[in-house]
Every structure is written in structure tokens, then in C-alpha cells.
Amino acid sequence: MSFLNNLDWRNAEKNFDPTKKVSDNDLAKILHAIRMAPSSWGVQPYHIFVIGDQTTKLKLKGKGYNQQQYQDSSHVLVFCGRNDLASRVDKYFEIASNGDPIQRKSMEAYEKMMRGSMESKNPEEGMNWAYRQTYLALGFGLAACAELKIDACPMEGFDPSGFAEILKLPSDIKAVATMSIGYRKELPHSAKIRFPEDDLFTKIKNT
């Protein structure tokens, strides 16, 4: 039950201790959880920048409305949606077939169906779809941090064009959200405010 208990423990941390760093081992676990997140068709239309460099973090802070989390956290993860969907399909089947053309041929019908789904989206629709998939990956990253009792703060408050310039993003990859990770300062934390279950859930039971 540690995971569920740690969900009560976690919060969107604003006050990181800049002297405490996430270990390489724990960072690898967080990235593994993100990599294992579900995505539609398994295409994983996102890319995550993992930033421990303080100079880059300070540049991001300047385009992130000077939020202190960028500066004081151990690492900043920038989650980007990607709209190069045709190449993602190619890469997916290259991996799935282990580069074997005969095996790839056996997947032809599925590839055609997937490619049709991707090609039916105009650029705006494709990027919006990628954004939704990216948030699934972000959620798995937050859950992994809770499991490890590593503090995290997801944020959308930043200038995407400024981030694109700092990270040298191509036009088909756009920053969606960030997640600062590290360890909290030992300060009092307010109790979580959550809406009650009957506000959030409608249960339709068997009759």
C-alpha cells in the first residue's frame, strides 16, 4: 500500500531544497516509468528533456515566469509533444519487427490502419492528440516520484516559444508541460484540498 499512501503524502512542491539531488538510480526509475506509460497505438508521440544543468535551468526559469522550482529543483523534465507522426509510425514498426522485412510484412494490415489514423489528422489535430498522450507520460512520472518519495511539481506556466529557443526544438516538437523534481525543504505543508468523491465520481452499479 505504499504507493497509495504516498499519493496522500505528495504535493505540487514549490519549495525545493537546492542542496539535495535526485540520484542517478532514482532518476532512471522515474524515466523508466515515463517510458512505460501507455499511449494510443503505442506511438509515444513525445520527447522529454531531462535537465540537470543549472545554467539551462536558469534560462528556463527566465521563460517560466521566474518560478523558483526551475532553479532549486534537482532536475527539470520538459515534456514535449511531437507531430512527426508518419516517422513515428515508421519507427514503431521498425522496432516491432526487429528490422526484419518479413516480420514487417506480416504487420502490413495493422501498419496501414495505424498510418491511416495518423494521416487523418491535420497538423493542429495531430499536435493536440500528441499533447494528450504526453500528459499520460507526465502522470506516470508524477506517480513514480510519489512511489519513490521524491517531490515533484508539474507546471504549464511558461513561454513555449522561449523554451523552444532554449532547447532548440524543431517545428514539429513543442513543449507542453514541465515537471521539477527534487526534495522539499522541511516546511509546514497545508492539507490537500480535494473535491469530495460524490462530486468527482458517478457510480453505476449492477442491478
Side-chain angles (χ1 to χ4, degrees), residues 92-106:
Y92 176 90
F93 283 99
E94 180 184 332
I95 295 170
S97 66
N98 295 310
D100 180 349
I102 296 175
Q103 190 172 351
R104 177 82 175 254
K105 181 70 174 176
S106 71

Side-chain angles (χ1 to χ4, degrees), residues 54-99:
Q54 193 66 15
T55 299
T56 306
K57 286 162 57 185
L58 288 173
K59 289 179 181 178
L60 295 176
K61 179 186 177 186
K63 297 298 182 180
Y65 307 114
N66 290 312
Q67 295 179 85
Q68 196 67 21
Q69 298 95 309
Y70 288 106
Q71 177 175 331
D72 290 345
S73 60
S74 173
H75 295 76
V76 175
L77 278 61
V78 181
F79 288 75
C80 301
R82 57 190 305 163
N83 197 22
D84 54 343
L85 300 182
S87 66
R88 294 305 280 173
V89 173
D90 287 337
K91 185 66 174 177
Y92 176 90
F93 283 99
E94 180 184 332
I95 295 170
S97 66
N98 295 310

Side-chain angles (χ1 to χ4, degrees), residues 33-34 37-40 44-48 77-82 127-144 153-158 160 174-179:
I34 292 169
S39 69
S40 182
Q44 296 181 289
Y46 38 76
H47 186 84
I48 296 92
L77 278 61
V78 181
F79 288 75
C80 301
R82 57 190 305 163
M127 189 58 83
N128 287 335
W129 176 80
Y131 285 171
R132 293 194 292 274
Q133 307 308 310
T134 304
Y135 276 103
L136 292 173
L138 173 65
F140 267 58
L142 289 168
C153 184
M155 295 183 287
E156 292 181 312
F158 58 86
K174 298 184 185 301
V176 181
T178 70
M179 183 174 75

Side-chain angles (χ1 to χ4, degrees), residues 9-44:
W9 166 87
R10 69 151 300 278
N11 67 292
E13 185 56 52
K14 306 296 191 297
N15 298 296
F16 288 93
D17 185 338
T19 69
K20 296 180 179 179
K21 301 300 179 184
V22 174
S23 70
D24 290 345
N25 184 52
D26 282 342
L27 179 61
K29 292 176 182 178
I30 295 167
L31 299 184
H32 179 72
I34 292 169
R35 182 168 171 255
M36 291 296 105
S39 69
S40 182
W41 296 103
V43 170
Q44 296 181 289

Side-chain angles (χ1 to χ4, degrees), residues 126-197:
M127 189 58 83
N128 287 335
W129 176 80
Y131 285 171
R132 293 194 292 274
Q133 307 308 310
T134 304
Y135 276 103
L136 292 173
L138 173 65
F140 267 58
L142 289 168
C145 286
E147 173 71 10
L148 296 167
K149 278 211 164 181
I150 293 171
D151 288 292
C153 184
M155 295 183 287
E156 292 181 312
F158 58 86
D159 172 14
S161 62
F163 271 40
E165 183 177 350
I166 293 167
L167 299 174
K168 298 179 172 56
L169 301 182
S171 61
D172 55 11
I173 297 182
K174 298 184 185 301
V176 181
T178 70
M179 183 174 75
S180 294
I181 64 173
Y183 296 95
R184 66 184 69 179
K185 290 181 179 178
E186 294 303 323
L187 298 173
H189 285 84
S190 301
K192 281 187 191 296
I193 298 173
R194 293 291 188 269
F195 286 89
E197 284 195 9

